[in-house]
Amino acid sequence: MKMAAPGLRLGMRRLLEVSAALGRVCRAYSTPQAFAEVLRLPRRQLTKLVYPLQELEQHLAPDARSDLCLRVFDPSLEDLARAESFFTASPRNRIEYLSSAVRLDHAPDLPRPEVCFIGRSNVGKSSLIKALFSLAPEVEVRVSQKPGHTKKMNFFKVGKYFTLVDMPGYGYRAPEDFVDMVETYLKERRNLKRTFLLVDSVVGITKTDNIAIEMCEEFALPYVMVLTKTDKSSKGHLLKQVLQIQKFVNMQTQGCFPQLFPVSAVTHSGIHLLKCFIANITGNLDSRLPV
């Protein structure tokens, strides 16, 4: 009897690992139907959807792979399933728009952890937040084709777990009081756990993005770079941008989380991993995962 080739054995082992993990997830949690369907995808499709950086790694030369922070945050499928439940609306887990504010003293005074999303006008921020809330269809997140649609800080309650804040876009058509509004919030909001800085993966880091990055660094804020619109780039262009931005993070930032989060609000690639990271930094997942 012939022995299976090493590559075939490795592929079978990984397939068995995913199948076993799927069984554990379904037994441990009441997995949302949409995510249960994700877990049943073929392994390559699952990796591309859930772990997009690891999918990109396959197209890198071996000597370039060490430049990319791929598994700093590397949750299990069980972690991802648990995080998905926090973003799923139910009678016991109400996800809803709370209020809007143009000044910090008008913002709701909430004890729960908070995360905020900020980026230049037309970076796809509202589309991304809508994708995060796709399992809470009653939550209205307005998406506009016109840049600068968001003029206020919009607060969304995610059950008893955390609050998500949609900040106005900077750059073109930004609100006149943008600086006072956003700087005051970032400097003084005590329960702010992480700032998510959105960068368009098609165009890379712009001059206005640099100003936002400098602000986060000056205020010593912990922040994360999320690369949006990955569905609009070819694989080669996306890989080039990811490597350039990763080099920038490694060499020129101190407060930025080392791993990038490429996402698409259209295909939902990377959305599940981002949900899991948010659940983790707000203290709702296993503390063994890095924050």
Side-chain angles (χ1 to χ4, degrees):
M1 181 177 177
K2 291 184 179 181
M3 296 293 290
L8 180 59
R9 290 201 302 270
L10 180 60
M12 288 298 294
R13 190 182 307 122
R14 288 177 176 171
L15 183 60
L16 290 171
E17 287 171 357
V18 170
S19 298
L22 174 58
R24 290 195 301 272
V25 168
C26 291
R27 287 193 298 271
Y29 306 113
S30 177
T31 309
Q33 182 62 33
F35 191 64
E37 292 174 4
V38 168
L39 291 173
R40 294 188 182 95
L41 291 172
R43 184 172 57 84
R44 288 184 68 180
Q45 287 180 257
L46 179 69
T47 301
K48 185 175 182 179
L49 183 66
V50 178
Y51 304 106
L53 277 181
Q54 294 181 27
E55 195 270 336
L56 284 175
E57 179 189 21
Q58 302 170 24
H59 305 278
L60 280 173
D63 59 343
R65 292 179 183 179
S66 60
D67 298 332
L68 204 55
C69 295
L70 291 165
R71 294 179 175 85
V72 178
F73 182 72
D74 190 22
S76 66
L77 292 175
E78 291 96 325
D79 294 323
L80 289 161
R82 188 178 178 195
E84 200 76 9
S85 67
F86 300 141
F87 285 87
T88 304
S90 69
R92 289 188 174 185
N93 187 44
R94 293 184 62 186
I95 300 174
E96 58 189 344
Y97 163 78
L98 283 177
S99 64
S100 298
V102 294
R103 288 167 39 186
L104 182 58
D105 56 1
H106 292 170
D109 185 13
L110 303 168
R112 62 181 64 89
E114 203 157 273
V115 295
C116 76
F117 282 67
I118 188 170
R120 69 176 180 83
S121 300
N122 206 34
V123 75
K125 179 165 48 62
S126 296
S127 296
L128 172 57
I129 293 173
K130 188 170 184 177
L132 290 171
F133 289 151
S134 63
L135 298 179
E138 293 184 2
V139 177
E140 184 179 359
V141 182
R142 295 181 180 178
V143 178
S144 174
Q145 297 299 320
K146 296 181 180 179
H149 175 75
T150 305
K151 299 294 185 184
K152 300 178 181 180
M153 299 181 288
N154 298 318
F155 293 78
F156 297 89
K157 171 190 170 188
V158 182
K160 62 182 180 181
Y161 302 108
F162 60 90
T163 305
L164 187 150
V165 188
D166 181 8
M167 306 293 283
Y170 52 78
Y172 180 66
R173 294 191 66 190
E176 291 182 2
D177 54 353
F178 174 86
V179 173
D180 291 339
M181 184 194 318
V182 173
E183 281 195 3
T184 304
Y185 171 86
L186 294 177
K187 288 169 68 175
E188 300 182 14
R189 192 67 164 176
R190 293 183 179 181
N191 56 337
L192 178 62
K193 296 300 181 183
R194 196 65 53 103
T195 298
F196 289 82
L197 179 60
L198 276 54
V199 173
D200 189 328
S201 68
V202 179
V203 301
I205 296 174
T206 65
K207 290 181 179 179
T208 51
D209 291 329
N210 267 315
I211 294 171
I213 291 166
E214 289 170 4
M215 180 174 63
C216 290
E217 293 286 336
E218 180 184 345
F219 297 162
L221 295 172
Y223 64 104
V224 183
M225 278 201 206
V226 179
L227 311 185
T228 63
K229 303 182 183 180
T230 57
D231 56 289
K232 295 186 180 296
S233 290
S234 67
K235 191 156 290 181
H237 180 73
L238 178 59
L239 195 54
K240 180 182 177 182
Q241 292 284 27
V242 165
L243 288 172
Q244 287 179 347
I245 295 170
Q246 182 73 72
K247 184 178 180 181
F248 176 90
V249 169
N250 294 346
M251 303 290 291
Q252 299 187 46
T253 71
Q254 292 184 335
C256 188
F257 191 75
Q259 183 173 318
L260 304 175
F261 286 81
V263 298
S264 167
V266 176
T267 67
H268 281 215
S269 173
I271 296 294
H272 303 292
L273 188 64
L274 186 59
K275 288 181 181 179
C276 193
F277 187 76
I278 294 169
N280 189 53
I281 60 174
T282 53
N284 294 299
L285 279 188
D286 195 328
S287 58
R288 65 183 170 77
L289 292 169
V291 295

